[in-house]
């Protein structure tokens, strides 16, 4: 059994990883865990809102901002650049200031940015706010799985983390429904000063509310006990554990102390004695900026050295390839559905492959010469319907993951959910109608979204507490490079080199499946973590 405490470079007493997890296991499972699951699900739903909403807003905002094709490209890229800029920063911040504080800052920054974006009438200001929104959104996705996982008993952790996939699915479905209702509305508020507020502004405003409301609820939640143990705040850790036990069991908080004293785990007995009987009080001073930078550097180097080097490389590459593939085909699905709708309107009862739809685009561009910003075009409700169907198609796979993860393990799901989308992507060569495109899109979205969730879950499972945030931040940074490369690839190559794009995406997913075979199994990863503790 690992020692009850370790000493860091400043002499602060830290409760060992294995002891902290044993203490969490003694709190049981119940109301508190479900509350944490609920708030984390809302956070991940908010992430789904942020990523998917830009595709709904872009066509309508093009008229108000008089956007050219280049302007549209900037608007699509702004959140991506924000995600890239903020990804590793959030991992560092979560390691220094805690998971809860990191999520709070990210949520309120995201909500305020979106709220302001809904009313600003200036293109470049809107672009900057979308950049901030993207940075804040990435802070939520990078940390929320850590926050959820570090509260859960070992027996339930994998299953609770896996249920987060359903939050993403529900978020997509709700967003499609809200967009379907709001964006076609005739909202027309304009002033002589250049201010305007239309239906898409109302949509952006509504999308800002979940972040603000969820952030307000999160104020009533504590920091994770495992982070408090790792940073030497042992008295606060015990207070959180007592609260967890009380809410889960219905017993008074002090009963948790009695339970630890009566259990057969000597390390937990010693932990209680050290905190309660020696009247220990933390002497944990605020770190200077130089110490913080040194701490970040040391932890980053640790995940880039054995025994974590191999898993870091594998997880970062998988995150990069899968995210690149996901954004390449998913973020631009509304555009693909638009092209099929335009093609079928121009050429009724005819079919076209994905790679020949450029001709249909050229036909519609001729008609748009008198309306370059699309101000007279009607909203294609089929885009919302298709997105709604895409979200609904993810429900079966979203249920399979948590129901079978304890039996099959994350490695099995990671391998399967990488290889299957590779085959689905190759089948794009066979698509000739919008319906066929929708079927393949549903298959692709439902499996790839599970793959992304498994990557987030594995980051919690494969690293100890003191390295988990840094590994998550580094993985998020690499994955956003993949996301930007995927978005640029679809923008620059899809019309002239469509076949090459499909081959690249399929190859990335196939390579991800091969890399997934090298992810450590649970027993191996736990052995390394215990050794490091």
């Amino acid at each position: 059994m690992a020692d009850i405490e370790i000493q860091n470079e400043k002499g602060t007493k830290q409760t060992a990883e294995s002891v902290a997890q044993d203490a969490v296991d003694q709190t049981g499972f119940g109301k508190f865990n479900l509350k944490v699951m609920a708030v984390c699900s809302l956070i991940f739903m908010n992430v789904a809102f942020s990523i998917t909403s830009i595709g709904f807003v872009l066509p309508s905002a093009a008229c108000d901002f008089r956007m050219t094709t280049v302007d549209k490209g900037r608007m699509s890229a702004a959140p991506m650049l924000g995600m890239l800029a903020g990804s590793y920063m959030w991992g560092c911040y979560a390691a220094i200031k805690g998971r809860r504080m990191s999520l709070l800052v990210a949520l309120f920054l995201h909500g305020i940015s979106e709220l302001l974006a809904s009313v600003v009438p200036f293109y470049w200001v809107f672009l900057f706010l979308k950049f901030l929104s993207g940075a804040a959104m990435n802070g939520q996705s990078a940390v929320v799985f850590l926050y959820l996982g570090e509260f859960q008993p070992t027996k339930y952790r994998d299953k609770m983390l896996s249920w987060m996939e359903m939050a993403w699915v529900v978020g997509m479905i709700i967003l499609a429904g809200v967009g379907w209702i709001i964006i076609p509305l005739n909202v027309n508020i304009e002033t002589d000063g250049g201010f305007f507020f239309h239906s898409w502004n109302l949509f952006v405003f509504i999308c800002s509310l979940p972040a603000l409301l969820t952030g307000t609820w999160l104020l009533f939640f504590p920091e994770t006990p495992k982070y408090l143990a790792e940073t030497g705040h042992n008295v606060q850790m015990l207070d959180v554990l007592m609260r967890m036990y009380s809410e889960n069991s219905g017993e008074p908080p002090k009963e948790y102390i009695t339970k630890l004293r009566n259990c057969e785990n000597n390390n937990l007995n010693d932990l209680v004695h050290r905190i309660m009987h020696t009247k220990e009080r933390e002497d944990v001073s605020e770190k200077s900026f130089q110490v913080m930078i040194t701490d970040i550097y040391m932890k980053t180097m640790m995940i880039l050295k054995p025994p974590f080097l191999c898993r870091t490389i594998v997880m970062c590459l998988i995150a990069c390839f899968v995210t690149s593939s996901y954004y390449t085909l998913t973020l631009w699905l509304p555009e693909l559905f638009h092209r099929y709708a335009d093609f079928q309107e121009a050429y009724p009862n005819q079919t076209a492959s994905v790679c020949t739809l450029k001709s249909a685009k050229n036909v519609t561009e001729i008609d748009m010469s008198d309306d370059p910003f699309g101000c007279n075009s009607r909203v294609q409700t089929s885009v919302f319907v298709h997105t709604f169907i895409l979200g609904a198609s993810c429900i079966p796979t979203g249920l399979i993951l948590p129901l079978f993860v304890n039996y099959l393990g994350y490695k099995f799901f990671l391998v399967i959910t990488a290889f299957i989308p590779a085959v689905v992507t190759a089948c794009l060569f066979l698509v000739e109608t919008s319906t066929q495109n929708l079927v393949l899109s549903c298959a692709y979205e439902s499996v790839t979204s599970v793959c992304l969730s498994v990557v987030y879950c594995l980051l919690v499972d494969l690293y100890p507490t003191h390295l988990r945030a840094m590994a998550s931040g580094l993985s998020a940074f690499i994955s956003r490079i993949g996301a930007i490369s995927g978005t640029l690839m679809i923008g620059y190559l899809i019309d002239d080199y469509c076949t090459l794009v499909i081959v690249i995406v399929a190859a990335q997913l196939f390579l991800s499946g091969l890399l997934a075979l090298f992810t450590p199994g649970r027993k191996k990863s736990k052995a390394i973590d215990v050794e490091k503790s």
Side-chain angles (χ1 to χ4, degrees), residues 240-307:
V240 172
L241 291 170
M242 291 168 63
R243 173 181 171 182
M244 292 171 62
Y245 176 79
S246 178
E247 292 193 26
N248 286 337
S249 65
E251 300 288 336
K254 290 186 178 181
E255 287 296 319
Y256 178 70
I257 304 297
T258 304
K259 183 177 182 179
L260 293 187
R261 284 172 174 165
N262 295 334
C263 73
E264 299 178 356
N265 190 323
N266 292 329
N267 283 335
L268 294 181
N269 293 333
D270 294 341
L271 176 66
V272 174
H273 176 81
R274 177 162 56 89
I275 296 176
M276 300 296 295
H277 290 275
T278 62
K279 305 296 183 183
E280 178 188 37
R281 291 295 179 267
E282 290 94 356
D283 184 19
V284 184
S285 58
E286 286 291 326
K287 295 181 180 179
S288 66
F289 181 76
Q290 183 178 357
V291 172
M292 290 181 184
I293 296 300
T294 303
D295 190 39
I296 291 171
Y297 174 78
M298 294 298 294
K299 289 179 178 178
T300 302
M301 289 298 101
M302 288 182 69
I303 63 176
L304 296 178
K305 293 179 181 179

Side-chain angles (χ1 to χ4, degrees), residues 482-502:
I484 291 176
S485 67
T487 304
L488 293 175
M489 181 167 61
I490 201 75
Y492 285 102
L493 301 181
I494 194 64
D495 284 333
D496 299 321
Y497 303 97
C498 175
T499 300
L500 178 62
V501 171
I502 295 176

Side-chain angles (χ1 to χ4, degrees), residues 427-473:
C427 291
L428 282 173
F429 289 116
L430 307 177
V431 171
E432 293 185 344
T433 66
S434 179
T435 302
Q436 293 173 355
N437 176 64
L438 180 60
V439 171
L440 274 188
S441 298
C442 288
Y444 182 86
E445 171 73 27
S446 62
V447 181
T448 313
S449 63
V450 170
C451 188
L452 289 172
S453 293
V454 171
V455 171
Y456 286 127
C457 295
L458 270 173
L459 289 171
V460 178
D461 210 42
L462 296 181
Y463 292 89
T465 303
H466 66 291
L467 299 179
R468 201 169 284 145
M470 307 305 296
S472 180

Side-chain angles (χ1 to χ4, degrees), residues 153-364:
T154 305
K155 180 180 178 181
Y156 298 96
R157 184 173 61 226
D158 290 348
K159 183 171 290 188
M160 293 294 283
L161 289 171
S162 300
W163 276 114
M164 290 287 281
E165 168 64 15
M166 284 302 297
W168 179 276
V169 172
V170 173
M172 283 188 62
I173 294 174
I174 292 177
L175 185 74
V178 172
W180 194 357
I181 295 172
I182 299 298
I183 293 182
L185 293 177
N186 184 22
V187 178
N188 189 21
I189 301 175
E190 297 182 0
T191 65
D192 294 336
F195 175 81
F196 57 81
F197 192 87
H198 298 143
S199 60
W200 71 266
N201 299 93
L202 178 61
F203 177 72
V204 175
F205 173 79
I206 292 174
C207 289
S208 72
L209 298 180
L212 297 174
L213 296 175
T214 306
T216 302
W217 192 22
L218 187 62
L219 289 171
F220 299 95
F221 285 78
E223 180 56 80
T224 70
K226 297 183 75 172
Y227 174 81
L228 293 172
E230 190 265 326
T231 53
H233 293 84
N234 296 314
V235 175
Q236 292 183 37
M237 175 195 69
L238 186 60
D239 290 339
V240 172
L241 291 170
M242 291 168 63
R243 173 181 171 182
M244 292 171 62
Y245 176 79
S246 178
E247 292 193 26
N248 286 337
S249 65
E251 300 288 336
K254 290 186 178 181
E255 287 296 319
Y256 178 70
I257 304 297
T258 304
K259 183 177 182 179
L260 293 187
R261 284 172 174 165
N262 295 334
C263 73
E264 299 178 356
N265 190 323
N266 292 329
N267 283 335
L268 294 181
N269 293 333
D270 294 341
L271 176 66
V272 174
H273 176 81
R274 177 162 56 89
I275 296 176
M276 300 296 295
H277 290 275
T278 62
K279 305 296 183 183
E280 178 188 37
R281 291 295 179 267
E282 290 94 356
D283 184 19
V284 184
S285 58
E286 286 291 326
K287 295 181 180 179
S288 66
F289 181 76
Q290 183 178 357
V291 172
M292 290 181 184
I293 296 300
T294 303
D295 190 39
I296 291 171
Y297 174 78
M298 294 298 294
K299 289 179 178 178
T300 302
M301 289 298 101
M302 288 182 69
I303 63 176
L304 296 178
K305 293 179 181 179
F308 299 105
L309 176 61
C310 181
R311 69 178 71 177
T312 299
I313 293 175
V314 169
M315 293 305 297
C316 286
L317 287 177
I318 292 175
C320 180
F321 291 150
V322 174
T323 308
S324 175
S325 304
Y326 182 83
Y327 278 90
T328 299
L329 296 185
T330 304
L331 192 63
W332 286 83
L333 277 177
E335 171 68 16
L336 198 57
F337 287 130
H338 268 302
R339 291 191 182 190
Y340 264 114
D342 293 337
F343 179 86
Q344 290 169 353
E345 185 176 343
Y347 305 101
N349 301 321
Q350 294 190 31
T351 59
S353 68
V354 172
C355 291
T356 59
L357 283 176
K358 181 185 176 184
S359 59
K361 182 185 177 186
N362 291 338
V363 168
T364 58

Side-chain angles (χ1 to χ4, degrees), residues 377-391:
S377 61
R378 59 186 176 83
V379 177
Q380 293 279 3
T381 56
S382 60
V383 175
F384 304 114
V385 177
H386 289 158
T387 306
F388 188 88
I389 295 173
L390 282 177

Side-chain angles (χ1 to χ4, degrees), residues 37-210:
M37 179 67 193
V39 74
C40 289
S41 297
L42 290 175
I43 293 172
F44 206 45
M45 285 173 59
N46 186 60
V47 174
F49 291 167
S50 181
I51 290 179
T52 312
S53 63
I54 191 66
F56 295 156
V57 169
L58 194 57
S60 301
C63 174
D64 290 327
F65 287 127
R66 297 294 189 265
M67 287 192 289
T68 63
T69 302
V70 175
D71 294 329
K72 292 180 182 179
R74 291 196 193 102
M75 183 174 289
S76 297
M80 292 289 183
L81 292 175
M83 295 178 200
L84 179 64
S87 53
Y88 194 60
M89 176 193 74
W90 289 112
C92 299
Y93 192 75
I96 295 172
K97 294 295 185 180
R99 286 58 160 137
R100 174 180 175 271
M101 181 57 68
S102 181
L103 286 173
L104 285 172
V105 174
L107 283 166
F108 284 116
L109 177 60
H110 184 200
I112 293 172
S113 298
E114 289 290 319
L115 188 66
L116 294 175
S118 69
V119 295
V120 293
F122 308 109
Y123 170 77
W124 287 104
V125 178
F126 184 88
L127 215 61
F128 176 70
L129 290 171
K130 279 296 180 181
F131 174 87
L132 292 180
S133 174
M137 184 281 297
N138 207 53
Q140 299 165 55
S141 62
V143 181
V144 66
F145 280 80
L146 309 185
Y147 188 75
L148 174 63
E150 292 180 2
F151 276 113
Q152 305 305 321
T154 305
K155 180 180 178 181
Y156 298 96
R157 184 173 61 226
D158 290 348
K159 183 171 290 188
M160 293 294 283
L161 289 171
S162 300
W163 276 114
M164 290 287 281
E165 168 64 15
M166 284 302 297
W168 179 276
V169 172
V170 173
M172 283 188 62
I173 294 174
I174 292 177
L175 185 74
V178 172
W180 194 357
I181 295 172
I182 299 298
I183 293 182
L185 293 177
N186 184 22
V187 178
N188 189 21
I189 301 175
E190 297 182 0
T191 65
D192 294 336
F195 175 81
F196 57 81
F197 192 87
H198 298 143
S199 60
W200 71 266
N201 299 93
L202 178 61
F203 177 72
V204 175
F205 173 79
I206 292 174
C207 289
S208 72
L209 298 180

